[in-house]
Amino acid sequence: MSSVPVTAQTAGKAAARAAARRQERLGRHDRPNRTGRAARAASRRPGWVTYALLALALAISIFPLYYTLVLGSSTQQEISQRAIPQWLPDLSLFDRFATVISATQINFWKALTNSMIISVTASLSVVLFSTLAGFAFAKLRFAWRRGLLVFVIATMAVPTQLGVIPLYILMTDLDWVGKLQAVIVPAMLCPFGVFWMTQYLSSALPYELVEAARVDGASMFRTFRSIALPAALPAAAMLFLFWFVMQWTMFFWPSIVLNSQNPTLPLVVQSLQGQYFTDHSLVMAGIFLVTFPLLVIFAIVGKQLVAGIMTGAVKG
């Protein structure tokens, strides 16, 4: 459709006025239609197929936890006879929990304390350093900025197993084998966290705010603390929970540098397995006890976690 000025030049002023009136009428009629379609799209409810797929995904996600509880409340003889010994867990599950907590071959409370110290310390460190690096890569101009960011991202492609031997030699030279710092220090930095915070701050923090703070006389650290850090809180919360879960469930590196006198929770579960006989109900009860704190955390902050992920996805 030609515009009104083009119509005036080609067909005259009368035709241009008629075209303008026609466009105004079409716009008046079309605006309510567009508003109505948007309202209908917003109020449209998902169909039964959507609910069926969601129910299937929910069942698949819950089944491992359900199966752990069922095996944890069954005897070794029942487990060896049937794949699903019973349909619902019973009260004997709490007896298994008490047995795991009071077992003499493991130190459950020490393992719980160690896991909490490692997870919280490493997660706070990753959030701090990743936010600092993300702010620098996203809002500051310096030589080799893009090349350094690409180098940091490229380190994610290096398998963790390649660095195990040099890292173990370093820990031996530092006399850190068997101590918590051997697990905490290597986990204090995360390339994914740097990439995540850089992507988030690139979109969530306008240059105008940083420049206004600098013009008002704020130092670079004050600008980071007062402007960048509050803007980065949703993505920082998501990063904290992500790294907390990673450290809480990590088994490979702690099994190398820690010992039975100073274990974490995943190592305690391994200690429940005997050399010649394994009580699977006891092991499953221990697995649930390791998982339970994470379930509590997700139940409390799950809404904020999803909001942070969605915000980061949209802004990133």
mmCIF file with all atom_site columns, all heavy atoms in Angstrom, residues 35-54:
data_model
loop_
_atom_site.group_PDB
_atom_site.id
_atom_site.type_symbol
_atom_site.label_atom_id
_atom_site.label_alt_id
_atom_site.label_comp_id
_atom_site.label_asym_id
_atom_site.label_entity_id
_atom_site.label_seq_id
_atom_site.pdbx_PDB_ins_code
_atom_site.Cartn_x
_atom_site.Cartn_y
_atom_site.Cartn_z
_atom_site.occupancy
_atom_site.B_iso_or_equiv
_atom_site.pdbx_formal_charge
_atom_site.auth_seq_id
_atom_site.auth_comp_id
_atom_site.auth_asym_id
_atom_site.auth_atom_id
_atom_site.pdbx_PDB_model_num
ATOM 1   N N   . THR A 1 35 ? -5.991  -6.046  19.728 1.00 0.00 ? 35 THR A N   1
ATOM 2   C CA  . THR A 1 35 ? -6.081  -6.145  21.183 1.00 0.00 ? 35 THR A CA  1
ATOM 3   C C   . THR A 1 35 ? -6.847  -7.395  21.595 1.00 0.00 ? 35 THR A C   1
ATOM 4   O O   . THR A 1 35 ? -6.483  -8.109  22.526 1.00 0.00 ? 35 THR A O   1
ATOM 5   C CB  . THR A 1 35 ? -6.759  -4.887  21.742 1.00 0.00 ? 35 THR A CB  1
ATOM 6   O OG1 . THR A 1 35 ? -6.068  -3.741  21.274 1.00 0.00 ? 35 THR A OG1 1
ATOM 7   C CG2 . THR A 1 35 ? -6.757  -4.897  23.257 1.00 0.00 ? 35 THR A CG2 1
ATOM 8   N N   . GLY A 1 36 ? -7.934  -7.690  20.847 1.00 0.00 ? 36 GLY A N   1
ATOM 9   C CA  . GLY A 1 36 ? -8.714  -8.873  21.173 1.00 0.00 ? 36 GLY A CA  1
ATOM 10  C C   . GLY A 1 36 ? -7.936  -10.153 20.957 1.00 0.00 ? 36 GLY A C   1
ATOM 11  O O   . GLY A 1 36 ? -8.014  -11.075 21.765 1.00 0.00 ? 36 GLY A O   1
ATOM 12  N N   . ARG A 1 37 ? -7.163  -10.210 19.861 1.00 0.00 ? 37 ARG A N   1
ATOM 13  C CA  . ARG A 1 37 ? -6.362  -11.416 19.610 1.00 0.00 ? 37 ARG A CA  1
ATOM 14  C C   . ARG A 1 37 ? -5.305  -11.606 20.684 1.00 0.00 ? 37 ARG A C   1
ATOM 15  O O   . ARG A 1 37 ? -5.047  -12.729 21.130 1.00 0.00 ? 37 ARG A O   1
ATOM 16  C CB  . ARG A 1 37 ? -5.709  -11.313 18.225 1.00 0.00 ? 37 ARG A CB  1
ATOM 17  C CG  . ARG A 1 37 ? -6.668  -11.544 17.072 1.00 0.00 ? 37 ARG A CG  1
ATOM 18  C CD  . ARG A 1 37 ? -5.899  -11.822 15.797 1.00 0.00 ? 37 ARG A CD  1
ATOM 19  N NE  . ARG A 1 37 ? -5.104  -10.680 15.402 1.00 0.00 ? 37 ARG A NE  1
ATOM 20  C CZ  . ARG A 1 37 ? -5.538  -9.710  14.604 1.00 0.00 ? 37 ARG A CZ  1
ATOM 21  N NH1 . ARG A 1 37 ? -6.788  -9.755  14.121 1.00 0.00 ? 37 ARG A NH1 1
ATOM 22  N NH2 . ARG A 1 37 ? -4.754  -8.704  14.275 1.00 0.00 ? 37 ARG A NH2 1
ATOM 23  N N   . ALA A 1 38 ? -4.669  -10.503 21.110 1.00 0.00 ? 38 ALA A N   1
ATOM 24  C CA  . ALA A 1 38 ? -3.654  -10.610 22.153 1.00 0.00 ? 38 ALA A CA  1
ATOM 25  C C   . ALA A 1 38 ? -4.257  -11.094 23.465 1.00 0.00 ? 38 ALA A C   1
ATOM 26  O O   . ALA A 1 38 ? -3.673  -11.924 24.167 1.00 0.00 ? 38 ALA A O   1
ATOM 27  C CB  . ALA A 1 38 ? -2.959  -9.266  22.355 1.00 0.00 ? 38 ALA A CB  1
ATOM 28  N N   . ALA A 1 39 ? -5.459  -10.568 23.780 1.00 0.00 ? 39 ALA A N   1
ATOM 29  C CA  . ALA A 1 39 ? -6.110  -10.988 25.027 1.00 0.00 ? 39 ALA A CA  1
ATOM 30  C C   . ALA A 1 39 ? -6.504  -12.449 24.972 1.00 0.00 ? 39 ALA A C   1
ATOM 31  O O   . ALA A 1 39 ? -6.348  -13.192 25.944 1.00 0.00 ? 39 ALA A O   1
ATOM 32  C CB  . ALA A 1 39 ? -7.340  -10.110 25.281 1.00 0.00 ? 39 ALA A CB  1
ATOM 33  N N   . ARG A 1 40 ? -7.011  -12.885 23.792 1.00 0.00 ? 40 ARG A N   1
ATOM 34  C CA  . ARG A 1 40 ? -7.387  -14.303 23.673 1.00 0.00 ? 40 ARG A CA  1
ATOM 35  C C   . ARG A 1 40 ? -6.167  -15.209 23.764 1.00 0.00 ? 40 ARG A C   1
ATOM 36  O O   . ARG A 1 40 ? -6.216  -16.285 24.367 1.00 0.00 ? 40 ARG A O   1
ATOM 37  C CB  . ARG A 1 40 ? -8.121  -14.526 22.348 1.00 0.00 ? 40 ARG A CB  1
ATOM 38  C CG  . ARG A 1 40 ? -9.549  -13.998 22.337 1.00 0.00 ? 40 ARG A CG  1
ATOM 39  C CD  . ARG A 1 40 ? -10.316 -14.562 21.143 1.00 0.00 ? 40 ARG A CD  1
ATOM 40  N NE  . ARG A 1 40 ? -9.717  -14.139 19.882 1.00 0.00 ? 40 ARG A NE  1
ATOM 41  C CZ  . ARG A 1 40 ? -10.018 -13.002 19.271 1.00 0.00 ? 40 ARG A CZ  1
ATOM 42  N NH1 . ARG A 1 40 ? -10.901 -12.173 19.814 1.00 0.00 ? 40 ARG A NH1 1
ATOM 43  N NH2 . ARG A 1 40 ? -9.448  -12.693 18.131 1.00 0.00 ? 40 ARG A NH2 1
ATOM 44  N N   . ALA A 1 41 ? -5.035  -14.762 23.155 1.00 0.00 ? 41 ALA A N   1
ATOM 45  C CA  . ALA A 1 41 ? -3.814  -15.572 23.236 1.00 0.00 ? 41 ALA A CA  1
ATOM 46  C C   . ALA A 1 41 ? -3.302  -15.668 24.660 1.00 0.00 ? 41 ALA A C   1
ATOM 47  O O   . ALA A 1 41 ? -2.803  -16.706 25.093 1.00 0.00 ? 41 ALA A O   1
ATOM 48  C CB  . ALA A 1 41 ? -2.744  -14.979 22.323 1.00 0.00 ? 41 ALA A CB  1
ATOM 49  N N   . ALA A 1 42 ? -3.435  -14.537 25.422 1.00 0.00 ? 42 ALA A N   1
ATOM 50  C CA  . ALA A 1 42 ? -2.949  -14.549 26.800 1.00 0.00 ? 42 ALA A CA  1
ATOM 51  C C   . ALA A 1 42 ? -3.810  -15.421 27.700 1.00 0.00 ? 42 ALA A C   1
ATOM 52  O O   . ALA A 1 42 ? -3.321  -16.019 28.653 1.00 0.00 ? 42 ALA A O   1
ATOM 53  C CB  . ALA A 1 42 ? -2.883  -13.120 27.335 1.00 0.00 ? 42 ALA A CB  1
ATOM 54  N N   . SER A 1 43 ? -5.127  -15.450 27.402 1.00 0.00 ? 43 SER A N   1
ATOM 55  C CA  . SER A 1 43 ? -6.028  -16.223 28.262 1.00 0.00 ? 43 SER A CA  1
ATOM 56  C C   . SER A 1 43 ? -6.204  -17.661 27.798 1.00 0.00 ? 43 SER A C   1
ATOM 57  O O   . SER A 1 43 ? -6.932  -18.412 28.439 1.00 0.00 ? 43 SER A O   1
ATOM 58  C CB  . SER A 1 43 ? -7.397  -15.530 28.301 1.00 0.00 ? 43 SER A CB  1
ATOM 59  O OG  . SER A 1 43 ? -7.950  -15.477 27.000 1.00 0.00 ? 43 SER A OG  1
ATOM 60  N N   . ARG A 1 44 ? -5.560  -18.040 26.701 1.00 0.00 ? 44 ARG A N   1
ATOM 61  C CA  . ARG A 1 44 ? -5.725  -19.395 26.198 1.00 0.00 ? 44 ARG A CA  1
ATOM 62  C C   . ARG A 1 44 ? -5.064  -20.389 27.145 1.00 0.00 ? 44 ARG A C   1
ATOM 63  O O   . ARG A 1 44 ? -3.923  -20.228 27.543 1.00 0.00 ? 44 ARG A O   1
ATOM 64  C CB  . ARG A 1 44 ? -5.098  -19.502 24.814 1.00 0.00 ? 44 ARG A CB  1
ATOM 65  C CG  . ARG A 1 44 ? -5.394  -20.821 24.110 1.00 0.00 ? 44 ARG A CG  1
ATOM 66  C CD  . ARG A 1 44 ? -4.757  -20.824 22.750 1.00 0.00 ? 44 ARG A CD  1
ATOM 67  N NE  . ARG A 1 44 ? -5.230  -19.704 21.946 1.00 0.00 ? 44 ARG A NE  1
ATOM 68  C CZ  . ARG A 1 44 ? -4.602  -19.247 20.872 1.00 0.00 ? 44 ARG A CZ  1
ATOM 69  N NH1 . ARG A 1 44 ? -3.465  -19.779 20.508 1.00 0.00 ? 44 ARG A NH1 1
ATOM 70  N NH2 . ARG A 1 44 ? -5.097  -18.221 20.204 1.00 0.00 ? 44 ARG A NH2 1
ATOM 71  N N   . ARG A 1 45 ? -5.760  -21.448 27.511 1.00 0.00 ? 45 ARG A N   1
ATOM 72  C CA  . ARG A 1 45 ? -5.235  -22.449 28.435 1.00 0.00 ? 45 ARG A CA  1
ATOM 73  C C   . ARG A 1 45 ? -4.569  -23.578 27.651 1.00 0.00 ? 45 ARG A C   1
ATOM 74  O O   . ARG A 1 45 ? -4.989  -23.913 26.544 1.00 0.00 ? 45 ARG A O   1
ATOM 75  C CB  . ARG A 1 45 ? -6.362  -23.020 29.295 1.00 0.00 ? 45 ARG A CB  1
ATOM 76  C CG  . ARG A 1 45 ? -7.011  -21.986 30.202 1.00 0.00 ? 45 ARG A CG  1
ATOM 77  C CD  . ARG A 1 45 ? -8.181  -22.600 30.955 1.00 0.00 ? 45 ARG A CD  1
ATOM 78  N NE  . ARG A 1 45 ? -7.736  -23.671 31.824 1.00 0.00 ? 45 ARG A NE  1
ATOM 79  C CZ  . ARG A 1 45 ? -7.259  -23.482 33.046 1.00 0.00 ? 45 ARG A CZ  1
ATOM 80  N NH1 . ARG A 1 45 ? -7.185  -22.272 33.537 1.00 0.00 ? 45 ARG A NH1 1
ATOM 81  N NH2 . ARG A 1 45 ? -6.873  -24.506 33.779 1.00 0.00 ? 45 ARG A NH2 1
ATOM 82  N N   . PRO A 1 46 ? -3.499  -24.161 28.226 1.00 0.00 ? 46 PRO A N   1
ATOM 83  C CA  . PRO A 1 46 ? -2.851  -25.279 27.530 1.00 0.00 ? 46 PRO A CA  1
ATOM 84  C C   . PRO A 1 46 ? -3.812  -26.449 27.382 1.00 0.00 ? 46 PRO A C   1
ATOM 85  O O   . PRO A 1 46 ? -4.694  -26.675 28.217 1.00 0.00 ? 46 PRO A O   1
ATOM 86  C CB  . PRO A 1 46 ? -1.678  -25.633 28.456 1.00 0.00 ? 46 PRO A CB  1
ATOM 87  C CG  . PRO A 1 46 ? -1.510  -24.468 29.357 1.00 0.00 ? 46 PRO A CG  1
ATOM 88  C CD  . PRO A 1 46 ? -2.828  -23.801 29.469 1.00 0.00 ? 46 PRO A CD  1
ATOM 89  N N   . GLY A 1 47 ? -3.630  -27.236 26.335 1.00 0.00 ? 47 GLY A N   1
ATOM 90  C CA  . GLY A 1 47 ? -4.480  -28.385 26.089 1.00 0.00 ? 47 GLY A CA  1
ATOM 91  C C   . GLY A 1 47 ? -4.052  -29.596 26.896 1.00 0.00 ? 47 GLY A C   1
ATOM 92  O O   . GLY A 1 47 ? -3.055  -29.569 27.630 1.00 0.00 ? 47 GLY A O   1
ATOM 93  N N   . TRP A 1 48 ? -4.798  -30.695 26.723 1.00 0.00 ? 48 TRP A N   1
ATOM 94  C CA  . TRP A 1 48 ? -4.509  -31.903 27.514 1.00 0.00 ? 48 TRP A CA  1
ATOM 95  C C   . TRP A 1 48 ? -3.179  -32.534 27.105 1.00 0.00 ? 48 TRP A C   1
ATOM 96  O O   . TRP A 1 48 ? -2.534  -33.207 27.921 1.00 0.00 ? 48 TRP A O   1
ATOM 97  C CB  . TRP A 1 48 ? -5.641  -32.907 27.351 1.00 0.00 ? 48 TRP A CB  1
ATOM 98  C CG  . TRP A 1 48 ? -5.796  -33.452 25.969 1.00 0.00 ? 48 TRP A CG  1
ATOM 99  C CD1 . TRP A 1 48 ? -6.545  -32.948 24.958 1.00 0.00 ? 48 TRP A CD1 1
ATOM 100 C CD2 . TRP A 1 48 ? -5.130  -34.613 25.446 1.00 0.00 ? 48 TRP A CD2 1
ATOM 101 N NE1 . TRP A 1 48 ? -6.404  -33.705 23.829 1.00 0.00 ? 48 TRP A NE1 1
ATOM 102 C CE2 . TRP A 1 48 ? -5.545  -34.757 24.096 1.00 0.00 ? 48 TRP A CE2 1
ATOM 103 C CE3 . TRP A 1 48 ? -4.239  -35.553 25.962 1.00 0.00 ? 48 TRP A CE3 1
ATOM 104 C CZ2 . TRP A 1 48 ? -5.091  -35.771 23.281 1.00 0.00 ? 48 TRP A CZ2 1
ATOM 105 C CZ3 . TRP A 1 48 ? -3.786  -36.583 25.154 1.00 0.00 ? 48 TRP A CZ3 1
ATOM 106 C CH2 . TRP A 1 48 ? -4.213  -36.673 23.830 1.00 0.00 ? 48 TRP A CH2 1
ATOM 107 N N   . VAL A 1 49 ? -2.764  -32.309 25.861 1.00 0.00 ? 49 VAL A N   1
ATOM 108 C CA  . VAL A 1 49 ? -1.471  -32.850 25.428 1.00 0.00 ? 49 VAL A CA  1
ATOM 109 C C   . VAL A 1 49 ? -0.333  -32.219 26.231 1.00 0.00 ? 49 VAL A C   1
ATOM 110 O O   . VAL A 1 49 ? 0.600   -32.900 26.674 1.00 0.00 ? 49 VAL A O   1
ATOM 111 C CB  . VAL A 1 49 ? -1.279  -32.612 23.916 1.00 0.00 ? 49 VAL A CB  1
ATOM 112 C CG1 . VAL A 1 49 ? 0.109   -33.103 23.485 1.00 0.00 ? 49 VAL A CG1 1
ATOM 113 C CG2 . VAL A 1 49 ? -2.356  -33.316 23.124 1.00 0.00 ? 49 VAL A CG2 1
ATOM 114 N N   . THR A 1 50 ? -0.436  -30.900 26.427 1.00 0.00 ? 50 THR A N   1
ATOM 115 C CA  . THR A 1 50 ? 0.591   -30.213 27.212 1.00 0.00 ? 50 THR A CA  1
ATOM 116 C C   . THR A 1 50 ? 0.635   -30.746 28.631 1.00 0.00 ? 50 THR A C   1
ATOM 117 O O   . THR A 1 50 ? 1.716   -31.026 29.187 1.00 0.00 ? 50 THR A O   1
ATOM 118 C CB  . THR A 1 50 ? 0.311   -28.705 27.225 1.00 0.00 ? 50 THR A CB  1
ATOM 119 O OG1 . THR A 1 50 ? 0.233   -28.238 25.886 1.00 0.00 ? 50 THR A OG1 1
ATOM 120 C CG2 . THR A 1 50 ? 1.416   -27.963 27.960 1.00 0.00 ? 50 THR A CG2 1
ATOM 121 N N   . TYR A 1 51 ? -0.551  -30.897 29.243 1.00 0.00 ? 51 TYR A N   1
ATOM 122 C CA  . TYR A 1 51 ? -0.592  -31.427 30.613 1.00 0.00 ? 51 TYR A CA  1
ATOM 123 C C   . TYR A 1 51 ? -0.068  -32.864 30.670 1.00 0.00 ? 51 TYR A C   1
ATOM 124 O O   . TYR A 1 51 ? 0.596   -33.255 31.641 1.00 0.00 ? 51 TYR A O   1
ATOM 125 C CB  . TYR A 1 51 ? -2.017  -31.361 31.146 1.00 0.00 ? 51 TYR A CB  1
ATOM 126 C CG  . TYR A 1 51 ? -2.433  -29.969 31.565 1.00 0.00 ? 51 TYR A CG  1
ATOM 127 C CD1 . TYR A 1 51 ? -3.395  -29.274 30.858 1.00 0.00 ? 51 TYR A CD1 1
ATOM 128 C CD2 . TYR A 1 51 ? -1.854  -29.342 32.665 1.00 0.00 ? 51 TYR A CD2 1
ATOM 129 C CE1 . TYR A 1 51 ? -3.776  -27.993 31.230 1.00 0.00 ? 51 TYR A CE1 1
ATOM 130 C CE2 . TYR A 1 51 ? -2.220  -28.073 33.044 1.00 0.00 ? 51 TYR A CE2 1
ATOM 131 C CZ  . TYR A 1 51 ? -3.188  -27.400 32.320 1.00 0.00 ? 51 TYR A CZ  1
ATOM 132 O OH  . TYR A 1 51 ? -3.552  -26.125 32.691 1.00 0.00 ? 51 TYR A OH  1
ATOM 133 N N   . ALA A 1 52 ? -0.364  -33.658 29.647 1.00 0.00 ? 52 ALA A N   1
ATOM 134 C CA  . ALA A 1 52 ? 0.114   -35.052 29.639 1.00 0.00 ? 52 ALA A CA  1
ATOM 135 C C   . ALA A 1 52 ? 1.640   -35.105 29.547 1.00 0.00 ? 52 ALA A C   1
ATOM 136 O O   . ALA A 1 52 ? 2.292   -35.889 30.253 1.00 0.00 ? 52 ALA A O   1
ATOM 137 C CB  . ALA A 1 52 ? -0.516  -35.798 28.467 1.00 0.00 ? 52 ALA A CB  1
ATOM 138 N N   . LEU A 1 53 ? 2.219   -34.249 28.693 1.00 0.00 ? 53 LEU A N   1
ATOM 139 C CA  . LEU A 1 53 ? 3.683   -34.224 28.580 1.00 0.00 ? 53 LEU A CA  1
ATOM 140 C C   . LEU A 1 53 ? 4.333   -33.738 29.871 1.00 0.00 ? 53 LEU A C   1
ATOM 141 O O   . LEU A 1 53 ? 5.370   -34.272 30.302 1.00 0.00 ? 53 LEU A O   1
ATOM 142 C CB  . LEU A 1 53 ? 4.093   -33.328 27.403 1.00 0.00 ? 53 LEU A CB  1
ATOM 143 C CG  . LEU A 1 53 ? 3.725   -33.849 26.011 1.00 0.00 ? 53 LEU A CG  1
ATOM 144 C CD1 . LEU A 1 53 ? 4.086   -32.828 24.945 1.00 0.00 ? 53 LEU A CD1 1
ATOM 145 C CD2 . LEU A 1 53 ? 4.440   -35.169 25.732 1.00 0.00 ? 53 LEU A CD2 1
ATOM 146 N N   . LEU A 1 54 ? 3.730   -32.725 30.495 1.00 0.00 ? 54 LEU A N   1
ATOM 147 C CA  . LEU A 1 54 ? 4.267   -32.236 31.763 1.00 0.00 ? 54 LEU A CA  1
ATOM 148 C C   . LEU A 1 54 ? 4.178   -33.305 32.850 1.00 0.00 ? 54 LEU A C   1
ATOM 149 O O   . LEU A 1 54 ? 5.107   -33.475 33.658 1.00 0.00 ? 54 LEU A O   1
ATOM 150 C CB  . LEU A 1 54 ? 3.518   -30.977 32.194 1.00 0.00 ? 54 LEU A CB  1
ATOM 151 C CG  . LEU A 1 54 ? 3.793   -29.705 31.375 1.00 0.00 ? 54 LEU A CG  1
ATOM 152 C CD1 . LEU A 1 54 ? 2.898   -28.567 31.839 1.00 0.00 ? 54 LEU A CD1 1
ATOM 153 C CD2 . LEU A 1 54 ? 5.254   -29.300 31.510 1.00 0.00 ? 54 LEU A CD2 1
#
